[in-house]
């Protein structure tokens, strides 16, 4: 190792604060991808902390268990929170309060310190909030998927396939550096580390083990719909179902009970820390068209993607068009899922094509690329 270069990197330290929420409605994806970035920043010697609202299903304790400070803002039902009224239409109630209240509470959590980077990953926040927080942050970064509102930021990440740099031309300042596409997807280091072995395994396609992961919360219990639909397929009884949910999933016990009744070999795991290994062992995945799409692509895992929300449709359509996944609407699960799996079981060639196309989408190194850009901008 170049010791002098290592010491030089360690001597430059950034203080980074993340503003992201999880809840039974929002899900866990925003916080989880911010945690991925935070852990890579910490690995490179930088300090990170979180500001999250105390929604039902928040991940404050989980963040703390990863040894990050988490400042929990008041729950909307508590006196400190005003009624929601004047913020981004469409996702406004995801915040729980008006943007002005959120800005003031976030400022109070951070002040009187100045931070090098404030990272916002929240569909209900826009340039108004960002301008207010600029008083305590030297640089602002936005993680977005929608390109539907203005931002006042120095760096913008949209990791989604199909998004174009031009989608943000009139949404961000001219100075803003834009990182667009799955090349910058926020994946934990175990995914690129396991990529080579996973791709070798795909050389002999078959369906013996299916990973079912439809979000940590799955408030509509789509997991159970998928499990029941599989009983209408011709999968052999020794087919393994690896079902993953978060501890906050409201239908967890129902899923566990259903797993006991299925004619297939079903196991239910909660809040797993080995998702990369599970994806490596799986032959196909039934999952949501969200951030885990890039994890599957990195490991060449063929996927049947279920659209659970309209904000996932663009990702799903782009991956389906690339030949990396099969797309399925939630209301078509019962009628179509079994038939799709039966077709893939009969066609090793199609299963192989899905894997080959998926692996070209994402190499898993986006997190380190993003940190390098944050350091470059911070030093400039």
């Amino acid at each position: 190792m170049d010791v002098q270069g290592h010491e030089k990197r360690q001597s430059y330290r950034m203080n980074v604060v993340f503003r992201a929420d999880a809840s039974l409605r929002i899900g866990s994806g925003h916080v989880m991808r911010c945690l991925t970035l935070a852990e890579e920043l910490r690995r490179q010697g930088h300090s990170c902390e979180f500001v999250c609202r105390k929604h039902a299903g928040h991940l404050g304790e989980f963040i703390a268990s990863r040894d990050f400070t988490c400042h929990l803002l008041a729950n909307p039902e508590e006196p400190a929170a005003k009624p929601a009224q004047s913020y981004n239409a469409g996702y406004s109630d995801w915040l729980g309060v008006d943007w002005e209240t959120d800005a003031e509470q976030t400022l109070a959590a951070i002040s009187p310190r100045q931070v090098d980077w404030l990272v916002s990953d929240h569909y209900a926040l826009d340039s108004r909030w960002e301008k207010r927080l600029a008083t305590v942050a030297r640089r602002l970064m936005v993680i977005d998927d929608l390109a539907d509102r203005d931002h006042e930021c120095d760096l913008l990440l949209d990791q989604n396939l199909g998004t174009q740099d031009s989608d943000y031309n009139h949404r961000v300042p001219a100075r803003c550096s834009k990182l667009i596409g799955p090349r910058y997807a926020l994946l934990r280091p175990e995914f690129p580390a396991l990529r080579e072995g996973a791709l070798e395994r795909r050389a002999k396609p078959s369906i013996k083990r299916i990973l079912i992961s439809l979000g940590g919360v799955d408030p509509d219990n789509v997991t159970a719909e998928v499990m029941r639909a599989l009983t209408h397929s011709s999968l052999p009884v020794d087919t393994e179902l690896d079902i993953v949910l978060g501890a906050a999933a409201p239908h967890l016990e129902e899923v566990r009970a259903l797993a006991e009744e299925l004619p297939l070999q079903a196991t239910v795991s909660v809040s797993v820390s080995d998702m990369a290994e599970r994806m490596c062992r799986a032959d196909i995945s039934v999952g949501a068209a969200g951030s885990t799409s890039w994890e599957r692509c990195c490991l060449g895992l063929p996927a049947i993607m279920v659209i659970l929300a309209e904000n996932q449709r663009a990702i799903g359509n782009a991956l389906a068009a690339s030949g990396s996944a099969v797309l399925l609407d939630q209301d078509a699960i019962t009628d179509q899922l079994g038939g799709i799996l039966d077709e893939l079981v009969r066609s090793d060639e199609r299963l192989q094509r899905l894997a080959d196309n998926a692996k070209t989408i994402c190499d898993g190194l986006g997190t380190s690329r993003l940190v390098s850009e944050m350091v470059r901008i911070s030093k400039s």
Side-chain angles (χ1 to χ4, degrees):
M1 176 185 286
D2 179 355
V3 176
Q4 185 177 5
H6 177 73
E7 290 176 349
K8 187 178 293 184
R9 287 194 298 272
Q10 292 301 308
S11 66
Y12 184 77
R13 296 176 181 271
M14 300 185 299
N15 299 314
V16 183
V17 174
F18 292 85
R19 175 70 187 93
D21 283 340
S23 74
L24 295 179
R25 181 173 185 186
I26 295 171
S28 58
H30 297 269
V31 167
M32 294 305 292
R33 66 184 176 186
C34 286
L35 269 171
T36 296
L37 176 55
E39 288 175 342
E40 177 62 20
L41 284 161
R42 180 168 62 186
R43 191 187 69 80
Q44 296 192 27
H46 309 291
S47 65
C48 301
E49 56 192 81
F50 285 73
V51 177
C52 303
R53 191 162 296 283
K54 198 176 179 180
H55 296 297
H58 72 85
L59 293 178
E61 292 181 3
F62 181 74
I63 293 168
S65 76
R66 307 294 280 267
D67 295 324
F68 291 106
T69 297
C70 181
H71 306 275
L72 284 175
L73 306 182
N75 188 294
E77 284 81 32
E78 295 176 3
K82 299 177 184 177
Q85 51 188 2
S86 62
Y87 41 97
N88 187 41
Y91 294 96
S92 58
D93 52 352
W94 282 25
L95 194 61
V97 296
D98 58 89
W99 72 265
E100 296 96 337
T101 297
D102 193 274
E104 292 306 314
Q105 292 177 341
T106 303
L107 281 169
I110 298 173
S111 297
R113 297 163 297 145
Q114 268 238 331
V115 299
D116 295 298
W117 281 96
L118 175 62
V119 180
S120 169
D121 187 348
H122 208 302
Y123 293 166
L125 300 177
D126 58 22
S127 60
R128 298 168 297 174
W129 184 94
E130 292 147 11
K131 288 175 183 176
R132 183 71 183 88
L133 270 294
T135 57
V136 296
R138 294 181 179 90
R139 307 280 187 180
L140 284 104
M141 172 183 165
V142 170
I143 302 175
D144 191 26
D145 306 290
L146 306 175
D148 68 343
R149 60 205 189 282
D150 294 341
H151 294 292
E152 185 65 31
C153 58
D154 302 279
L155 178 59
L156 180 133
L157 167 67
D158 186 324
Q159 61 188 13
N160 296 307
L161 185 67
T163 303
Q164 304 296 321
D165 188 282
S166 58
D167 293 339
Y168 287 95
N169 277 355
H170 303 292
R171 294 293 189 184
V172 298
R175 71 175 190 280
C176 178
S177 177
K178 293 174 282 186
L179 304 183
I180 306 295
R183 172 177 167 79
Y184 302 101
L186 297 175
L187 270 61
R188 299 188 302 278
E190 57 263 34
F191 286 93
L194 293 172
R195 175 175 164 86
E196 183 178 353
L199 297 184
E200 287 177 1
R201 186 179 181 281
R202 310 290 177 219
K204 296 181 180 179
S206 63
I207 297 181
K208 297 179 180 178
R209 184 180 178 90
I210 303 172
L211 175 65
I212 300 173
S213 177
L214 291 144
V217 177
D218 189 14
D220 297 325
N221 203 13
V222 182
T223 301
E225 287 184 58
V226 167
M227 294 166 69
R228 293 188 182 98
L230 293 183
T231 63
H232 302 302
S233 72
S234 57
L235 291 169
V237 293
D238 62 349
T239 303
E240 298 178 51
L241 304 184
D242 184 10
I243 302 157
V244 177
L245 282 168
H251 303 287
L252 177 58
E253 293 309 315
E254 180 183 343
V255 168
R256 281 175 166 156
L258 183 58
E260 294 289 332
E261 302 170 4
L262 288 181
L264 305 171
Q265 306 302 306
T267 58
V268 180
S269 301
V270 179
S271 300
V272 303
S273 59
D274 61 346
M275 184 59 85
E277 289 86 351
R278 290 170 185 268
M279 287 187 177
C280 284
R281 295 196 301 269
D283 301 306
I284 193 167
S285 168
V286 180
S291 298
T292 55
S293 299
W294 319 125
E295 297 172 353
R296 296 190 293 255
C297 286
C298 176
L299 299 177
L301 177 60
I304 299 170
M305 291 193 312
V306 181
I307 300 297
L308 301 181
E310 279 306 307
N311 60 46
Q312 297 178 351
R313 189 168 295 280
I315 297 174
N317 287 341
L319 283 167
S322 74
S324 305
V326 178
L327 204 58
L328 184 64
D329 279 313
Q330 182 179 340
D331 59 8
I333 290 173
T334 300
D335 293 334
Q336 297 181 21
L337 178 58
I340 291 171
L341 275 168
D342 287 345
E343 180 185 344
L344 290 171
V345 166
R346 292 191 298 267
S347 177
D348 291 350
E349 182 180 349
R350 187 180 181 199
L351 197 62
Q352 185 69 64
R353 283 201 306 270
L354 288 172
D356 288 344
N357 291 330
K359 70 183 181 184
T360 67
I361 300 295
C362 176
D363 64 6
L365 301 176
T367 309
S368 58
R369 293 186 181 109
L370 175 56
V371 172
S372 295
E373 184 67 3
M374 292 174 73
V375 171
R376 184 194 69 78
I377 293 172
S378 195
K379 285 182 174 181
S380 66

